Amino acid sequence: MSRGERFPFAAPAAEGFTLGEPADDVERYAAILLGAAFVERLCFDYLDLLGAPVDGEIILTGGATRSAYWTRLRADVLERPVTLRENAEPALGMAVLAGGDPAAMIRTSAVVEPSDAGVRGPYLRFVAELEQRGWLDGRAAAHARERTTR
């Protein structure tokens, strides 16, 4: 929406971009979702580079979990299963932390397994573009590339 990025990299001049030219509004929307999923993946890659544990369960919350397409795309890009809860309201997490027995308050509605959707190549192209623009440092880019081979 505005210039600049703070995480997963610091680049005050960063701004949105598209690789290629979408044919129509549907393709443009799909590209925006894919880009958001790539940034999410890059966040996990960067946290891993910093030594943070990133191997736990991924639980998605919020209104976007009602989109099967978006949920599947995120699982595919992350190459990890994502868990959906029956009540996906983000505020529920705080209530669980304050309230006691999480098992009684949270029920899983679905676990979406990643498919072999072929998103590694486009993700690596995205990482290379960030590096070429000078927004992502070489160490972080190399780590992101290395993690796609695990």
Side-chain angles (χ1 to χ4, degrees):
M1 293 298 172
S2 62
R3 295 187 83 156
E5 181 63 48
R6 293 188 189 112
F7 189 82
F9 53 87
E15 58 188 359
F17 62 91
T18 303
L19 296 174
E21 184 60 38
D24 54 30
D25 288 343
V26 172
E27 255 188 38
R28 182 173 279 97
Y29 182 67
I32 290 168
L33 293 179
L34 187 61
F38 285 167
V39 170
E40 183 175 41
R41 167 72 184 256
L42 187 58
C43 288
F44 276 96
D45 290 345
Y46 189 64
L47 289 169
D48 184 71
L49 174 65
L50 296 175
V54 294
D55 57 351
E57 182 181 27
I58 298 174
I59 301 170
L60 304 181
T61 62
T65 61
R66 291 189 294 267
S67 169
Y69 177 80
W70 178 227
T71 299
R72 161 69 55 211
L73 183 64
R74 291 172 77 188
D76 290 349
V77 169
L78 293 172
E79 298 184 275
R80 305 255 311 270
V82 295
T83 300
L84 303 175
R85 299 294 192 212
E86 286 180 7
N87 182 341
E89 293 304 316
L92 180 64
M94 293 309 292
V96 169
L97 290 174
D101 182 12
M105 296 175 75
I106 300 175
R107 288 178 179 62
T108 297
S109 66
V111 175
V112 178
E113 296 288 337
S115 66
D116 186 19
V119 293
R120 278 186 182 179
Y123 174 68
L124 293 173
R125 184 173 170 215
F126 171 75
V127 168
E129 184 68 24
L130 293 174
E131 185 178 26
Q132 181 180 2
R133 290 173 183 244
W135 298 343
L136 184 64
D137 71 57
R139 189 170 143 235
H143 188 75
R145 284 190 288 272
E146 186 273 325
R147 280 195 81 217
T148 64
T149 65
R150 292 185 193 171

